[in-house]
Every structure is written in structure tokens, then in C-alpha cells.
Amino acid sequence: MNPIWNMARKEFCDGLRNRWLLAISLLFAVLAIGIAWLGAAAAGQLGFTSIPATIASLASLATFLMPLIALLLAYDAIVGEDESGTLLLLLTYPLGRGQILLGKFVGHGLILALATVLGFGCAMLAIALLVDDVDFAMLLWAFGRFMLTSALLGWCFLGLAYGLSSLCAEKSTAAGLALGVWFFFVLVFDLALLALLVLSKGQFNPQGLPWLLLLNPTDVYRLINLSGFGTGTQSVGVMALGSDLDVPPLALWACLLAWVAVPLALAYGLFRRRAA
Amino acid sequence: MMNVVEIEGVSQRYGRATVLHDLNLSLAPGEVLGLFGHNGAGKTTAMKLVLGLLRASAGEVRVFGRAPSDPHVRRWLGYLPENVTFYAQLSGVETLRHFARLKGAPMHQVDSLLDDVGLTAAAGRRVKTYSKGMRQRLGLAQALLGEPRLLLLDEPTVGLDPFATQDLYRLLDRLRAAGTSTILCSHVLPGVEAHINRAAILTQGRLLALGSLAQLRAEAGLPTLIRTCGLQRVESLQQRWSAAGHVTRRWGVEGLQVAAHNGSKVQLLRQLLAEDSPSDVEILPPSLEDIYRHYMDSAMVTAQEAAL
């Protein structure tokens, strides 16, 4: 059998064994159902409002959670094996470093994808069953896209986590850096962008600024999920910049895919350089 | 026949520190080579070079005639690292199955190997609960997956009780008979002599001595000790031997110890039996430990002379 699949199998079984898969799926399901029904409570409404509003709320939630979960899942992938002494063994086995890394990626990626489908799928099912006169085609399309991009977002942060894990000599350093990465992409980046926008008072090239959004996978992710509903969704914060961004949806998808591939390739480069 | 391992003029540097100096070693098929030395002598580095985990700073390492990093080579290798550890949350049998899959070894080998190392009863338990010796035995089973043609064992007896150590040596003998080549990295341990073909003594990255035990004994020129007891005329015997230039020492009440240098052993024994009637005779050839100490001491002297 394929060595990549054998590595992936171990990671996936670990995810089942330590209940990660179960916990993430449950967390997603509870939060998604909660948001679908209570998301509009701030506006004085209770119950399901609309698909675009639900997806927008879910996307904001997943922007926080997905990277955090992916980083937690994968930050010790390399350095953890090194500290426990098993990396030394693995490297003497007939499998290359690329296969080790890719195997872990497939295993962890499968856990994330399955948890996304199980968790958010539950919410979709609940909406389909419990809400009257919901547009099924629209629901399936919006949720399908949401789940797929959520998985891609998670995979992107898996790659980043492997990079950190290959770089660090100690698990605690990798954990700290992982939190830093999360903080940067989820909180700091958008704030910095907004600050830039406000401080520059329009001096900054208005055509150029929205392109900066593509430098953050979580922004690309939200841009994809907020688009395509026609009018009626107001974007807030940095997402408002996205409306100035004149790129086709396909380009956004390509960008998100690149955000999966590039960190993974980078992690491979770092892992190759790591001393045994 | 082609040598299994060929190390030619290999030096290894970490930054400015040189941990191996111009090492030349080879391993024939079915040979067991003992690699001895203190901590930091370069044993583990030498192993890592053969495993392809390190690239030699200078010189060449070839395993089965290929580069050690070749994935084909790794299929024929079994490695037991020093202080082996495994995934704590997996059970023994799960661990072994995982590694068997990675190595492409047949699954039925897992159970028989667990039996070979005496872990069948503990196979279902998590590795976390294993003692040091049990982990070591699981590590050995792991190294034997896929019937390797070259075994690299780094301190395999650490944590094993004397019985398990004997079991390990017996297993090594069986593997040697089946044609497996082995590099056994170890501190010098009593009892290991009988199970190795050749010994290599390393200190501070340099090969001090290399050869079969008989060769090393001859080269070191260490005496065989003859101990006798129950003698009638201890004093006259001691005087005679001392006069002939042998180093003697009283041994117990009516006993005597004499150091027999190169080939004088049989002659001394003849004299002993002709002139007295000892109740017991012990003949102690220099042990690996003695040889090791001899080379270590002479290396120390050389180093001190060089420093002066």
C-alpha cells in the first residue's frame, strides 16, 4: 500500500481515538445551528432569517475557529514526533520526507473536512427540515461552497502549522508561534489594513489596497462566501474593500488553493532542511 | 561477495566540531560488528551516516553498494535507536502494525515478532504503560520487521534484565546464522564477546582498533592470567617464575596468579602441573573489557603526550 496513505491512516485514527473529530464536529454543529437560529437576535429577531445572513455569520465564526483548530491539530506534527523520538525512526523507514508530510496532511485534512461536513452539514439539514419555504438549491449551493472553502481554509493553516513545526526545535515554541500566526491572520491583519485605510485618508492607491486582502487567506475565504448573493448583503469592516476588488470568483478560488499549496510547499522545504 | 557497509575515509563535522575523523570500516554479509566507545565517541554519528540520516562531510558511505539515502536500501535496514520511544497512546500491537505497514512488511509477522521478544501478553496494552525494557523489546521487534539484511542496534541491551539480554544475544546469533549483518553499538558489556565477529573501538571520533577478538588480543599484547589454588609450594614457584620475568601475585592463602604473555601460557601450565598439584586452575584470557581499557589508556597517554 501507498506510504502516504499509511501515514494518513495513522493520523486519521489518532483523530478518531482522541475524539478530535467528534469534538470538532459537535462544536461546528452546535455553533452553526445556534447561529442559524439566534444569529439575528441582535436585530431583535428570533429564528432563521435568510441564507446569506446565516452564511455571513457562519463565515465570520469559521474565520476564527477553523484556523485555530487546524493549527492546534498540526502544530506538533513534526516537532512532536521529533521530541517523542519517533521521527528518527520514521526517517529510517522506506519513505521520503515529502511522503511523511503529505501523509500527515492527508490525515489531518481528512479530519478537518469530515468535521466540517458533519458539523455544518447538520446545520444545513436542520435548516432544510425545519424552515418552511427555504430555497433548497440556494441552500445546497451556499452551504456546499461554505463547507468546501472552510475545509480549504483549514488545510491552508495545516500547511502553515507544518511549516512552524518543521522550523521549531521545541514543541512549546511551535505552539507559541502557531498562536502568533492565528493572531496575525485573524485579528491583526484586518486591523492593520483598516488602520492603513483610515490613516492614509485616500492617499494610498485606492485600486491597490483591496488587493492586499488576497494576502490573507481568511479574507479570501470570506470574500468567496459573501459573494454571489446579489445585492442585499452589506459588508462590514475590511470586507467592504472587497466590493472594490474586481476579480472573478474563480480567481478567488485559485487564490485560496494557492494559500493551501504554497504553505505546504514551504513546510516541505523547511522539513527537508531540518536535521535528523 | 560485496560488503554490506562500506565506510571510506569518512569525516563528519557539526559546525566547527569534528565528531568523526577519517573513519574506514566495512561490514561483510552475515558479520556482526561491535562498535564500542564512550559516550560521544561517534558511535551514534557513524550509525546515522549508515542510515542516511546524515550526509558525510567528507568521504563516502555505501550500503549494499548504494547511497544510504536510497529508499531501496531502507527496505533492507532495521534500526533500533538508543532510548527508543513510541507513540504513547497506541498499544504495542498497533505500534508494530503501523510500522509494518510503513515498511511493507507482512502483517502476520507482527504477531510472531511480538512472540519472539516476549511481548504477546502485553501486546494490547498502551505503550505508555510499558517499562523501559518492554519498550526496548518492542523497539527490537520494530527493527526486525520485514526481515532486514542489515541491523543497526544502538545500545540494545539498555534496560534489559540479564535474561532478556541473553535472549537478545541468542536472537542475534540466530539472525547471524541466517545471514543478517549487524552493527551493534554498545558500551562494553561482559558477555558480548561471544556474539560478535569483529570489534571496533572508537574514541573521540577516531578508530582506535579494529579486528576480531583474537587479533585485538594479540595486538594489545595483554597477558592471559593463570590462577591456581591449593598449592603445596607456593613460594618456590613464585620465586622461580618471578626470576624468569613473569609477573606473579599471591592469590588467596595457597594460591598464585601469574600473567602469561604471548605464548608462555602452555609452558607455565606444564611447569605448574609438573612441580605441584594444584586443586584448581583458572585461565583468564584478556576480556573485551581489558582490551578496551588497554586501548583507551594508550589513547589517553598519546593525547597527553601530544598536549605536552
Side-chain angles (χ1 to χ4, degrees):
Chain A
M1 258 203 305
N2 190 331
I4 296 177
W5 174 240
N6 285 326
M7 280 303 295
R9 180 179 164 154
K10 153 97 180 23
E11 296 303 329
F12 187 75
C13 289
D14 281 354
L16 288 182
R17 185 194 309 271
N18 56 26
R19 313 271 194 282
W20 262 94
L21 183 61
L22 188 74
I24 306 169
S25 304
L26 268 179
L27 180 73
F28 283 166
V30 169
L31 286 174
I33 293 173
I35 277 179
W37 261 265
L38 305 173
Q45 269 179 297
L46 216 56
F48 181 74
T49 47
S50 71
I51 293 171
T54 305
I55 289 287
S57 306
L58 281 178
S60 316
L61 171 83
T63 302
F64 278 86
L65 274 184
M66 210 61 195
L68 193 63
I69 290 170
L71 288 166
L72 275 179
L73 198 62
Y75 81 91
D76 67 344
I78 306 298
V79 71
E81 294 245 16
D82 198 354
E83 275 190 8
S84 74
T86 42
L87 185 65
L88 190 64
L89 268 184
L90 283 182
L91 291 177
T92 64
Y93 271 67
L95 72 169
R97 292 191 181 210
Q99 287 172 318
I100 293 176
L101 197 67
L102 219 55
K104 285 186 172 277
F105 180 73
V106 172
H108 288 145
L110 220 60
I111 292 172
L112 283 183
L114 214 60
T116 308
V117 169
L118 287 176
F120 294 130
C122 277
M124 181 177 75
L125 221 62
I127 293 171
L129 292 175
L130 300 176
V131 178
D132 303 323
D133 61 79
V134 69
D135 183 348
F136 280 118
M138 168 98 149
L139 184 73
L140 204 63
W141 170 75
F143 260 86
R145 185 179 65 174
F146 170 68
M147 290 191 282
L148 189 59
T149 47
S150 297
L152 284 174
L153 182 67
W155 295 351
C156 155
F157 279 86
L158 284 181
L160 289 171
Y162 296 143
L164 297 178
S165 204
S166 308
L167 198 63
C168 294
E170 272 166 58
K171 222 157 107 172
S172 50
T173 323
L177 280 180
L179 270 182
V181 164
W182 179 80
F183 205 66
F184 175 77
F185 280 120
V186 173
L187 297 171
V188 176
F189 188 92
D190 286 4
L191 278 179
L193 212 59
L194 279 177
L196 194 66
L197 198 64
V198 172
L199 288 176
S200 66
K201 294 196 181 108
Q203 289 166 353
F204 208 80
N205 183 359
Q207 265 87 51
L209 210 51
W211 289 96
L212 291 178
L213 286 179
L214 301 186
L215 292 180
N216 184 344
T218 66
D219 286 337
V220 179
Y221 165 76
R222 280 190 291 171
L223 283 176
I224 293 177
N225 277 297
L226 296 181
S227 71
F229 291 115
T231 51
T233 47
Q234 320 99 313
S235 310
V236 288
V238 282
M239 283 300 110
L241 277 174
S243 50
D244 298 334
L245 194 61
D246 190 23
V247 289
L250 217 59
L252 287 177
W253 282 91
C255 187
L256 195 58
L257 282 175
W259 264 109
V260 176
V262 172
L264 197 60
L266 207 67
Y268 176 59
L270 288 170
F271 185 31
R272 269 181 56 131
R273 275 182 40 201
R274 189 184 178 93
Chain B
M1 213 149 50
M2 184 187 67
N3 276 334
V4 175
V5 177
E6 202 69 73
I7 299 177
E8 279 171 17
V10 164
S11 297
Q12 182 67 34
R13 283 181 283 275
Y14 291 122
R16 291 182 63 190
T18 306
V19 290
L20 278 182
H21 300 265
D22 192 29
L23 181 68
N24 290 291
L25 262 184
S26 65
L27 185 71
E31 188 183 28
V32 178
L33 174 75
L35 201 55
F36 303 105
H38 290 322
N39 292 324
K43 292 173 293 175
T44 301
T45 303
M47 276 215 175
K48 284 186 171 179
L49 284 167
V50 174
L51 286 162
L53 293 173
L54 289 175
R55 196 183 292 252
S57 312
E60 196 185 21
V61 181
R62 299 195 75 73
V63 183
F64 298 110
R66 302 179 192 227
S69 53
D70 191 324
H72 289 283
V73 167
R74 296 196 169 158
R75 212 165 280 282
W76 302 325
L77 282 183
Y79 173 47
L80 173 65
E82 194 180 355
N83 299 321
V84 66
T85 47
F86 293 103
Y87 305 105
Q89 76 279 14
L90 295 190
S91 71
V93 66
E94 283 167 335
T95 304
L96 218 49
R97 281 203 189 120
H98 174 56
F99 283 109
R101 273 186 220 109
L102 290 180
K103 206 164 193 178
M107 275 302 138
H108 62 78
Q109 212 196 348
V110 169
D111 291 328
S112 67
L113 275 177
L114 281 171
D115 193 41
D116 281 351
V117 297
L119 280 179
T120 307
R125 266 167 54 192
R126 286 179 174 210
V127 175
K128 194 157 52 172
T129 67
Y130 279 22
S131 69
K132 174 106 179 66
M134 289 165 86
R135 271 210 318 269
Q136 197 73 14
R137 283 185 276 160
L138 186 62
L140 189 67
Q142 168 276 135
L144 297 176
L145 283 168
E147 285 164 7
R149 287 158 55 187
L150 170 61
L151 265 182
L152 295 137
L153 307 177
D154 202 346
E155 309 284 359
T157 52
V158 170
L160 294 185
D161 59 54
F163 288 109
T165 305
Q166 282 313 309
D167 284 347
L168 171 78
Y169 287 152
R170 265 201 293 278
L171 186 69
L172 284 184
D173 290 344
R174 220 162 56 226
L175 289 167
R176 172 166 60 172
T180 311
S181 310
T182 306
I183 297 181
L184 183 73
C185 223
S186 175
H187 299 293
V188 175
L189 293 160
V192 75
E193 292 106 319
H195 308 278
I196 58 174
N197 294 97
R198 281 194 305 159
I201 298 175
L202 273 178
T203 182
Q204 290 171 343
R206 286 175 212 277
L207 193 60
L208 271 186
L210 172 68
S212 69
L213 226 55
Q215 284 169 339
L216 291 183
R217 269 183 194 136
E219 203 181 295
L222 290 174
T224 298
L225 296 181
I226 301 172
R227 280 179 195 160
T228 62
C229 49
L231 295 175
Q232 312 295 317
R233 292 180 290 275
V234 179
E235 256 131 67
S236 70
L237 207 56
Q238 187 175 17
Q239 270 170 13
R240 188 176 156 188
W241 279 344
S242 297
H246 298 293
V247 180
T248 57
R249 219 174 85 195
R250 292 293 285 267
W251 189 257
V253 189
E254 291 171 324
L256 190 61
Q257 170 180 298
V258 59
H261 277 280
N262 13 321
S264 60
K265 179 175 66 186
V266 178
Q267 187 203 340
L268 284 170
L269 279 172
R270 274 209 193 95
Q271 288 176 3
L272 173 72
L273 293 173
E275 298 187 11
D276 211 325
S277 50
S279 61
D280 194 14
V281 179
E282 257 186 301
I283 299 170
L284 305 164
S287 68
L288 185 58
E289 231 172 314
D290 298 329
I291 296 170
Y292 180 73
R293 189 162 300 132
H294 167 81
Y295 280 106
M296 282 298 166
D297 289 347
S298 62
M300 202 111 82
V301 170
T302 319
Q304 274 163 359
E305 278 168 1
L308 286 174

